């Protein structure tokens, strides 16, 4: 079966995507520096399959290393060739993603996210592997007044994290002009939730900044979270986002990869979101209702650099992949809470 390289595969979205690909029989090489994750996520993935009497151990191989290290990546491609099963495609998740940290340490972000991606793409070209799915973000749209964002909406990231994502998009656009590249740039909206088993989930090693892990911690520890602003021009005054279940996002990667493999070389850019706007208060209330738990919160000032509304126009996703995310906000909240309760201290 086709071998796929997953960079950043022990992380939040990467680990859930491993499940989607393993379910379809793909053979995976996973690489990760473990800077923001634990390789225990891969043990949990094996456990999930074992519950269905499936042993996928030989199809999930892990190599610890950093994309900044060119030799390390070269060796991965060599190892695959030695097995007589060269890497057919790459799903590239590896990257740093903390917006505030990117503002204080822009060079760290350029080095890790841009140089790391450059090294990977260079090795891919050298080893005749020209299929890549790249993790981009709705953050590339920046401050916007558009109700629904289309892939051709103006791009204007407002922080170095976003600039590094757009730079890699541009690099991919440039290389797509020559050769036989099959490239999917996926702009994720707000992935939340966890695998329904509760065995894997979001396990940030740094203090979380995103709303969903903060809601979970607030419900668990009964510490008040701060809702950033209640004076936005929205139905309840709080910001609107487009939340998507992480397993739907994982499925989106599988569909995109299969689409690239089955079609002519091309550059495809897709928004991956549900296309439905949810306010911060709606998210908190849904979490409380479905889990029968309170989430203490208070209103605070608007967060610097925040955007009022980010919602995907996902019509291109639907028409090209013939697929769209299906899991409800309720499922996102139930699965995320289950993960926390089964793993109060994350992977242990
Ligand atoms: P994550 O931090 O859980 O996973 C990223 C993984 O990449 C981590 O395991 C980290 O250790 C690894 N990594 C980072 N730099 C590396 C390097 N140079 N070499 C090897 N490994 C490295 O984050 P995630 O939420 O799973 O995000 C995955 C990707 O999706 C990231 O590129 C992120 O920017 C992007 N993205 C995430 C979100 C989100 O809300 N989670 C939204 C949009 C885009
Ligand atoms: C943030 C990043 C974005 C990144 C995305 C996913 C900023 C400005 N944007 O987006 O670049 O791609 O995460 O990693 O940081 N909120 C609260 N209280 C909190 C935390 C968040 O009220 O403690 C609100 C925010 O104001 C926002 C919503 O919750 O309205 C969602 O926030 P968050 O999860 O950080 O996602 P984004 O703002 O979409």
């Amino acid at each position: 079966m086709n071998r796929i390289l997953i960079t950043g595969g022990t992380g939040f979205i990467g680990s859930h995507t491993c499940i989607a690909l393993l379910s379809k029989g793909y053979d995976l090489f996973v690489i990760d520096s473990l800077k923001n994750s634990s390789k225990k996520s891969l043990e949990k993935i094996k456990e999930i399959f074992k519950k269905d009497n499936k042993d996928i151990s030989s199809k999930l191989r892990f190599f610890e290393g950093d994309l900044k290290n060119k030799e390390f990546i070269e060796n991965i491609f060599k190892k695959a060739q030695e097995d007589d099963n060269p890497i057919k495609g790459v799903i590239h998740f590896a990257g740093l993603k903390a917006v505030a940290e990117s503002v204080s340490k822009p060079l760290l972000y350029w080095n890790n996210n841009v140089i790391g991606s450059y090294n990977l793409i260079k090795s891919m070209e050298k080893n005749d592997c020209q299929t890549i799915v790249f993790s981009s973000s709705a953050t590339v749209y920046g401050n916007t007044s558009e109700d629904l964002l289309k892939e051709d909406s103006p791009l204007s990231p407002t922080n170095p994290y976003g600039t590094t994502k757009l730079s890699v998009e541009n690099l991919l656009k440039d290389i797509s002009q020559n050769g036989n590249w099959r490239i999917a740039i996926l702009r994720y909206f707000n992935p939340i939730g966890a695998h329904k088993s509760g065995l894997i989930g979001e396990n940030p090693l740094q203090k979380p900044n995103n709303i969903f892990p903060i809601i979970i911690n607030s419900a668990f520890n009964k510490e008040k979270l701060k809702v950033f602003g209640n004076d936005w021009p929205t139905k309840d005054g709080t910001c609107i986002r487009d939340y998507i279940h992480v397993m739907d996002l994982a499925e989106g990667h599988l569909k995109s990869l299969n689409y690239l493999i089955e079609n002519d070389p091309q550059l495809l850019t897709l928004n991956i979101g549900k296309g439905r706007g949810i306010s911060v208060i709606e998210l908190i209330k849904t979490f409380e209702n479905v889990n029968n738990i309170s989430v203490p919160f208070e209103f605070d000032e608007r967060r610097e650099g925040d955007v009022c509304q980010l919602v995907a126009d996902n019509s291109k996703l639907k028409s090209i992949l013939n697929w769209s995310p299906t899991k409800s906000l309720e499922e996102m909240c139930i699965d995320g809470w289950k993960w926390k309760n089964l793993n109060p201290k994350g992977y242990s």
Side-chain angles (χ1 to χ4, degrees):
M1 187 58 172
N2 285 335
R3 174 167 283 163
I4 303 298
L5 173 64
I6 313 276
T7 76
T10 52
F12 173 43
I13 306 168
S15 56
H16 290 78
T17 302
C18 285
I19 295 187
L21 266 71
L22 288 163
S23 302
K24 293 291 174 212
Y26 278 105
D27 179 298
L28 305 183
F29 267 23
V30 169
I31 61 177
D32 204 296
S33 63
L34 302 181
K35 179 145 171 102
N36 194 34
S37 60
S38 158
K39 64 182 174 195
K40 286 186 183 147
S41 58
L42 303 185
E43 292 313 311
K44 297 288 180 182
I45 290 174
K46 290 177 191 165
E47 223 177 294
I48 289 169
F49 281 91
K50 224 175 229 158
K51 285 187 178 198
D52 285 338
N53 291 321
K54 287 185 191 143
D55 183 4
I56 48 91
S57 311
S58 62
K59 294 197 160 207
L60 183 61
R61 288 176 64 189
F62 176 66
F63 305 91
E64 181 175 345
D66 201 299
L67 290 183
K68 296 194 286 300
N69 179 347
K70 291 185 209 163
E71 224 170 274
F72 165 70
I73 314 172
E74 257 319 292
N75 281 334
I76 297 295
F77 280 94
K78 267 197 209 120
K79 265 196 189 86
Q81 279 154 9
E82 281 161 15
D83 286 357
D84 243 357
N85 190 2
I87 291 166
K88 173 102 180 187
V90 176
I91 305 188
H92 177 31
F93 294 103
L96 299 176
K97 61 168 187 178
V99 172
E101 185 185 54
S102 81
V103 174
S104 60
K105 298 176 184 165
L107 288 175
L108 174 71
Y109 274 67
W110 275 83
N111 192 21
N112 194 78
N113 292 0
V114 181
I115 309 281
S117 299
Y118 171 84
N119 290 341
L120 171 71
I121 291 163
K122 190 111 195 276
S123 267
M124 288 178 68
E125 183 166 60
K126 194 168 157 195
N127 290 282
D128 203 22
C129 170
Q130 294 191 310
T131 300
I132 181 168
V133 179
F134 171 61
S135 299
S136 189
S137 166
T139 201
V140 296
Y141 295 114
N143 255 321
T144 167
S145 55
E146 290 183 50
D147 282 348
L148 290 180
L149 289 156
K150 281 182 175 300
E151 287 79 358
D152 57 4
S153 294
L155 303 176
S156 174
T158 55
N159 53 67
Y161 164 66
T163 319
T164 62
K165 287 289 168 195
L166 187 54
S167 302
V168 178
E169 284 199 11
N170 286 333
L171 166 58
L172 291 169
K173 205 162 124 194
D174 284 349
I175 60 163
S176 73
Q177 306 294 322
N178 294 302
N180 287 312
W181 284 93
R182 291 176 163 78
I183 300 171
I185 291 170
L186 304 186
R187 294 187 183 140
Y188 315 155
F189 280 67
N190 292 63
I192 60 171
H195 187 261
K196 64 178 183 326
S197 63
L199 288 176
I200 64 166
E202 187 167 11
N203 183 44
L205 299 185
Q206 300 168 339
K207 194 171 171 274
N209 297 304
N210 293 122
I211 188 70
F212 196 69
I214 291 175
I215 288 178
I216 290 182
N217 288 345
S218 158
F220 199 81
N221 301 322
K222 295 288 166 246
E223 281 164 16
K224 270 191 192 167
L225 74 79
K226 292 183 190 310
V227 172
F228 297 140
N230 59 350
D231 56 352
W232 294 94
T234 63
K235 49 193 163 189
D236 59 21
T238 65
C239 290
I240 304 281
R241 293 292 183 272
D242 183 348
Y243 297 96
I244 173 172
H245 195 294
V246 64
M247 283 310 296
D248 267 336
L249 182 56
E251 192 69 18
H253 285 82
L254 174 67
K255 300 274 182 206
S256 305
L257 178 72
N258 288 343
Y259 179 87
L260 289 180
I261 292 174
E262 287 159 13
N263 286 281
D264 289 341
Q266 62 185 291
L267 171 76
L268 180 64
T269 303
L270 292 176
N271 283 340
I272 311 252
K274 289 198 74 174
R276 183 166 169 231
I278 303 288
S279 75
V280 179
I281 291 298
E282 274 177 311
L283 178 62
I284 292 175
K285 292 295 165 200
T286 305
F287 190 94
E288 289 187 321
N289 289 340
V290 295
N291 293 315
N292 197 19
I293 184 102
S294 71
V295 176
F297 70 89
E298 63 192 355
F299 290 111
D300 199 3
E301 299 289 296
R302 292 181 177 189
R303 178 173 67 179
E304 207 185 315
D306 239 343
V307 178
C308 178
Q309 162 159 331
L310 279 177
V311 181
D313 175 329
N314 62 7
S315 48
K316 190 174 171 196
L317 171 74
K318 286 179 182 161
S319 72
I320 297 214
L321 298 186
N322 198 16
W323 170 83
S324 60
T326 55
K327 290 184 185 290
S328 64
L329 188 66
E330 286 75 11
E331 277 173 285
M332 302 177 210
C333 293
I334 290 168
D335 293 342
W337 186 231
K338 183 171 181 188
W339 149 252
K340 179 66 179 180
N341 281 290
L342 288 179
N343 308 271
K345 293 191 174 136
Y347 294 114
S348 51

